[in-house]
Amino acid sequence: MSNSANRPGRIEEISSPANPRIKSIKGLMLKKNRDRENVFLAEGQKLVTDALEKGWTIRTLLHSRRLVEDDSQRERIQSLSAKVRARGGDILITNDKLLTSITRRDNPQSVVAVIERKLVDVSNLSFEGNDCWLALDRVRDPGNLGTIIRTADALGAKGVFLVGDTTDPFALEAVRATMGSLFHVQLVRQSEAQFIEFAKNFQGQGGKVVGTHLKGAVDHREVDYASGPLVLLMGNEQQGLTDELAEACDSVVLIAMDGAADSLNLAVATGIVLFEARQHLLTLEGRDH
Ligand code: SAM
């Protein structure tokens, strides 16, 4: 599936589900195949455009023939295809039925891309000023993870640490839930021990790690989030934070609740604490209405 960026990508028309390239692309629904190929699937023109703009490598762009036959779509898809080809990606022109069989969606997207994964090594990062990061302890649900990545992007976080056995951000369900934000934030994968080691260094250089926990003793509105770089640490959906991670935090906060619910949904809790931490930096300026 690999390609060289030295030559423009090839264009191929495929309509048979038995075509080996289509079979291999369908296989990317499985994590073991994504790991082996170091790629993942994303659907829709917006996501592919975001990926290109942010410099992600698109190995293959699949689109329905219908798009080139439609006067209102032709120019956009041709321009997208040209950009992908110029960077060495191949174009597979196919049909809606085949695209649906790849992404298993009732209402298929007419564009699907095979994109190279990107994870960042923490040693290449620097943390300064108001930089804010999220860290997620063993998050299980791909929809939660995608929603959290989208929220991190929306509220200006730099990226997300995926700690321990956190689910794959490159699973199609997670990618869908990010709505393109996957391409705008940096992702770091670490074991729990690696994250604790990182946290010590980060704190030693003036950073603050704030955990969220139902056992938290501090009201989340009482913390000073603006005193330097920040990591907000969120716990697993069923078990919350491990004791080791909770101990690695400067403070462990509780979001005050009323009513009968035991806890908030993880993605909702992330939105609340992240908004609290970032609100002094958020303005309506520069937004289109
Ligand atoms: N049964 C789990 C427990 O006892 O921790 C519930 C976990 S909760 C569904 C998932 C995560 O969302 C928590 O680990 C925490 O990070 C965050 N969270 C949810 N509600 C919260 C609250 N009221 N205060 C602080 N964090 C909360």
Side-chain angles (χ1 to χ4, degrees):
M1 230 184 264
S2 64
N3 203 346
S4 155
N6 297 330
R7 60 157 176 85
R10 299 194 178 95
I11 306 180
E12 196 179 335
E13 289 233 19
I14 300 181
S15 56
S16 165
N19 180 288
R21 288 191 81 171
I22 297 296
K23 280 187 163 173
S24 140
I25 290 168
K26 269 189 196 170
L28 297 175
M29 293 299 276
L30 295 178
K31 183 169 185 305
K32 65 173 187 191
N33 294 332
R34 293 193 295 274
D35 287 348
R36 194 188 56 237
E37 302 281 346
N38 194 32
V39 293
F40 65 102
L41 293 174
E43 307 152 288
Q45 297 196 34
K46 185 207 176 276
L47 263 69
V48 178
T49 307
D50 279 3
L52 272 175
E53 272 172 15
K54 287 303 207 178
W56 291 58
T57 302
I58 300 190
R59 289 214 195 144
T60 312
L61 179 77
L62 299 94
H63 72 79
S64 167
R65 160 150 286 290
R66 186 170 51 80
L67 295 184
V68 268
E69 288 165 354
D70 180 339
D71 289 346
S72 66
Q73 307 258 19
R74 188 179 308 116
E75 211 172 303
R76 266 177 77 195
I77 191 65
Q78 285 179 341
S79 150
L80 199 56
S81 299
K83 284 180 192 153
V84 171
R85 285 194 68 209
R87 296 187 206 174
D90 289 342
I91 311 296
L92 303 186
I93 302 175
T94 175
N95 56 58
D96 287 332
K97 196 166 164 219
L98 219 142
L99 289 175
T100 312
S101 76
I102 293 172
T103 59
R104 302 177 201 163
R105 254 203 200 248
D106 292 341
N107 55 337
Q109 294 279 350
S110 42
V111 171
V112 173
V114 178
I115 304 177
E116 276 181 24
R117 298 190 306 188
K118 230 193 251 187
L119 288 167
V120 180
D121 192 308
V122 74
S123 61
N124 295 328
L125 296 174
S126 58
F127 302 88
E128 54 202 32
N130 286 311
D131 286 358
C132 174
W133 288 71
L134 287 177
L136 308 176
D137 172 24
R138 296 163 300 143
V139 166
R140 307 300 307 154
D141 182 78
N144 264 347
L145 177 56
T147 305
I148 289 170
I149 290 172
R150 180 181 179 183
T151 308
D153 175 29
L155 296 181
K158 295 265 174 206
V160 183
F161 286 84
L162 310 165
V163 181
D165 194 15
T166 289
T167 195
D168 185 11
F170 300 111
L172 190 54
E173 195 186 340
V175 175
R176 271 177 195 154
T178 72
M179 300 289 286
S181 289
L182 176 71
F183 304 113
H184 297 270
V185 298
Q186 303 184 73
L187 299 176
V188 182
R189 205 179 249 299
Q190 287 192 318
S191 67
E192 180 180 281
Q194 286 169 328
F195 177 78
I196 291 173
E197 187 60 33
F198 155 77
K200 276 188 204 140
N201 291 331
F202 179 72
Q203 289 159 327
Q205 291 163 30
K208 189 182 274 182
V209 180
V210 177
T212 61
H213 204 328
L214 297 180
K215 293 182 195 150
V218 180
D219 185 314
H220 84 286
R221 294 163 295 191
E222 303 301 323
V223 171
D224 174 12
Y225 297 99
S227 58
L230 175 72
V231 174
L232 292 176
L233 176 57
M234 310 299 300
N236 167 272
E237 290 96 332
Q238 274 78 43
Q239 294 152 20
L241 287 179
T242 64
D243 291 345
E244 290 76 10
L245 285 171
E247 273 162 29
C249 295
D250 294 280
S251 46
V252 179
V253 300
L254 176 67
I255 305 165
M257 295 184 290
D258 204 351
D262 290 337
S263 66
L264 293 156
N265 163 278
L266 167 65
V268 171
T270 307
I272 291 173
V273 183
L274 190 54
F275 179 79
E276 185 68 29
R278 302 285 299 166
Q279 60 174 312
H280 62 290
L281 299 164
L282 302 172
T283 72
L284 296 182
E285 275 166 38
R287 305 291 301 184
D288 291 333
H289 296 289

